[in-house]
């Protein structure tokens, strides 16, 4: 069994911050221990700062980003509700699947993979939807979808946004952009291993919280009694103590660096990759002007074998990158620079390794 240090430059997880790994080794205490409650309250405060929100209901769901997606729909969507969803990649497609399972009437606004969704098309899709939902950073294509115009013109609808890959990687303003429901992941730009899904819900959305969502585990009516200070703390499920230590530490790293500095570091490293890769024969695939710095997509040059080249990167250089998904499987690579991985030295190492691989063809 190999225990090689990898440089994780795939679509996620990125490499965790050392402070996070250290936090995992702290002694486990009870989830109702006042010391732990204090840490949880502090964690949620840090989360509010990184999300740029004052939402009282802001906390990590005890499961991965996909559970955040489920929680966002199952608590607010019921049979017959009209939900407009932007689809330009894997994660928009999943949102539509989840909403449909809640019984929603899904109105899909589809855009070609690798291109951004026009916010006006989402706004024009229905005169009075219950929810408008979109993925901020489409990790399957490397595209950033614009959110701000949606918040300005959403009317009575709730704005629901997948922030799994955007949080801490690119500018994101929950309150400033009028986002009502957002979920994220820990393993992308927050520099924490996978396992939790930071969720935030506006007071406006809470007024529409369903009384009996079709999920027991993700029912916010019950979870909020544990995670918010309001009323008595009540047991719902055992909080994943060590994961929460890890996220608390990761948010601390981001805030110590400065959220805007974290955005700038991701921009610089992604920018370096996107500047240098074309010189090696890789074409940037995602639409210009909407490219994510934390996830670069490139077409694979002729003569380079998709699978063999990625195996060589992993075996010989210890660098992981991701292959393409869906319609572009075998045609594009997805190169991440997320969290602690977003460092110039990692980008330069990958570029040097790729130069060797491409030279041999
Ligand atoms: C990774 C990802 C998810 C799913 O998160 P998991 O932690 O894998 O469940 C959802 N949406 C986007 C945009 C992602 O990148």
């Amino acid at each position: 069994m190999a225990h090689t240090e990898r440089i994780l430059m795939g679509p996620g997880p990125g490499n965790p911050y050392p402070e996070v790994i250290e936090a995992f080794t702290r002694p486990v205490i009870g989830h109702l221990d006042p010391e732990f409650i204090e840490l949880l309250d502090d964690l949620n405060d840090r989360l509010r700062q990184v999300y740029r929100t004052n939402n009282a209901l802001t906390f990590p769901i005890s499961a991965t980003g996909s559970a955040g997606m489920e929680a966002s729909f199952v608590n607010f969507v019921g049979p017959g509700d009209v939900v407009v969803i932007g689809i330009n990649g894997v994660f928009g497609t999943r949102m539509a699947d989840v909403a449909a399972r809640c019984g929603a009437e899904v109105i899909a606004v589809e855009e070609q993979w690798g291109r951004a969704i026009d916010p006006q098309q989402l706004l024009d899709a229905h005169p009075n939807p219950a929810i408008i939902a979109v993925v901020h950073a489409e990790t399957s294509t490397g595209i950033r979808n614009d959110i701000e115009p949606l918040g300005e013109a959403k009317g009575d609808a709730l704005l629901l946004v997948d922030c799994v890959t955007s949080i801490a990687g690119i500018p994101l303003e929950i309150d400033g952009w009028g986002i009502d429901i957002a979920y994220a992941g820990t393993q992308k730009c927050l520099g924490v291993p996978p396992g939790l899904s930071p969720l935030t819900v506006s007071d406006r959305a809470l007024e529409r919280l369903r009384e009996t969502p079709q999920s027991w585990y993700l029912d916010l009516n019950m979870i909020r009694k544990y995670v918010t200070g309001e009323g008595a703390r009540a047991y719902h499920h055992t909080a994943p103590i060590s994961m929460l230590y890890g996220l608390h530490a990761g948010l601390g790293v981001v805030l110590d660096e400065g959220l805007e500095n974290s955005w700038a570091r991701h921009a610089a490293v992604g920018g370096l990759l996107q500047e240098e890769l074309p010189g090696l024969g890789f074409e940037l695939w995602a639409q210009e002007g909407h490219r994510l710095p934390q996830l670069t997509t490139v077409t694979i040059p002729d003569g380079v074998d998709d699978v063999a080249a990625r195996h060589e990167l992993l075996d010989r250089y210890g660098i992981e990158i991701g292959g393409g998904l869906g319609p572009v499987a075998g045609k594009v690579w997805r190169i991440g620079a997320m969290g602690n991985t977003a460092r110039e030295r990692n980008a330069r190492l990958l570029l040097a390794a790729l130069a060797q691989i491409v030279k041999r063809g």
Side-chain angles (χ1 to χ4, degrees):
M1 173 87 193
H3 293 277
T4 324
E5 261 310 308
R6 301 286 198 208
I7 300 174
L8 299 176
M9 301 190 80
N15 291 103
Y17 294 112
E19 291 88 339
V20 171
I21 300 306
E22 196 191 310
F24 276 110
T25 65
R26 270 185 228 149
V28 171
I29 59 177
H31 66 124
L32 293 170
D33 184 319
E35 242 180 75
F36 184 74
I37 294 295
E38 204 176 302
L39 178 129
L40 184 63
D41 287 346
D42 193 48
L43 185 161
N44 294 340
D45 276 342
R46 290 180 179 187
L47 203 46
R48 279 182 203 99
Q49 291 179 58
V50 172
Y51 259 145
R52 301 253 174 131
T53 183
N54 291 317
N55 289 342
L57 191 59
T58 303
F59 74 99
I61 294 269
S62 303
T64 69
S66 306
M69 186 188 291
E70 292 250 13
S72 297
F73 283 97
V74 80
N75 281 283
F76 299 97
V77 177
D81 288 347
V82 173
V83 180
V84 172
I85 303 184
I87 302 181
N88 58 345
V90 166
F91 295 104
T93 308
R94 279 195 193 171
M95 273 185 161
D97 188 10
V98 172
R101 288 177 191 217
C102 295
E105 183 192 324
V106 174
I107 298 183
V109 174
E110 298 193 48
E111 181 51 83
Q112 211 180 305
W113 287 38
R115 299 192 60 83
I117 294 169
D118 174 3
Q120 198 56 46
Q121 285 199 20
L122 288 166
L123 293 166
D124 292 344
H126 190 275
N128 189 26
I131 289 183
I132 301 172
V134 70
V135 178
H136 189 201
E138 244 306 344
T139 325
S140 60
T141 64
I143 281 286
R144 175 184 52 76
N145 287 314
D146 289 329
I147 306 300
E148 199 172 2
L150 297 171
E152 285 164 4
K154 67 186 175 184
D156 197 40
L158 297 176
L159 178 57
L160 193 171
V161 181
D162 176 321
C163 303
V164 175
T165 289
S166 60
I167 194 169
I170 51 173
L172 168 64
E173 306 278 349
I174 296 296
D175 290 356
W177 294 351
I179 299 171
D180 293 289
I181 304 165
Y183 59 90
T186 46
Q187 75 271 32
K188 310 274 167 80
C189 300
L190 281 176
V192 177
L196 294 172
S197 180
L199 182 81
T200 187
V201 179
S202 71
D203 290 347
R204 183 170 171 266
L206 272 182
E207 287 168 16
R208 305 189 205 175
L209 177 58
R210 292 176 66 75
E211 239 170 77
T212 321
Q214 293 303 301
S215 166
W216 187 92
Y217 185 63
L218 298 173
D219 184 345
L220 291 178
N221 296 290
M222 292 191 277
I223 300 175
R224 68 195 288 199
K225 292 187 181 142
Y226 174 69
V227 296
T228 67
E230 53 179 279
R233 301 270 179 177
Y235 164 78
H236 173 258
H237 66 275
T238 311
I241 308 295
S242 301
M243 266 310 299
L244 290 161
Y245 286 157
L247 178 56
H248 181 259
L251 293 166
V253 172
V254 171
L255 292 170
D256 282 349
E257 178 179 15
L259 184 55
E260 292 178 8
N261 294 332
S262 176
W263 297 339
R265 177 164 54 82
H266 284 85
V269 176
L272 171 63
L273 287 169
Q274 291 171 18
E275 204 173 284
E276 298 290 328
L277 282 163
L280 296 173
F282 295 89
E283 263 177 55
L284 301 178
W285 181 65
Q287 181 186 351
E288 199 172 357
H290 288 268
R291 288 176 187 147
L292 296 171
Q294 67 271 50
L295 200 279
T296 297
T297 43
V298 290
T299 52
I300 307 166
D302 285 341
V304 173
D305 183 283
D306 172 23
V307 174
R310 284 189 287 122
H311 275 162
E312 184 174 348
L313 275 176
L314 192 62
D315 293 343
R316 193 154 161 192
Y317 302 99
I319 303 174
E320 180 188 81
I321 64 167
L325 289 178
V328 286
K331 297 197 182 80
V332 307
W333 280 345
R334 294 180 299 151
I335 301 173
M338 300 180 182
N340 192 34
T341 316
R343 307 281 174 197
E344 181 181 347
R345 63 173 183 174
N346 291 334
R348 296 224 181 265
L349 242 121
L350 173 68
L351 290 165
L354 284 177
Q356 291 299 312
I357 289 171
V358 167
K359 193 164 68 185
R360 265 201 338 270

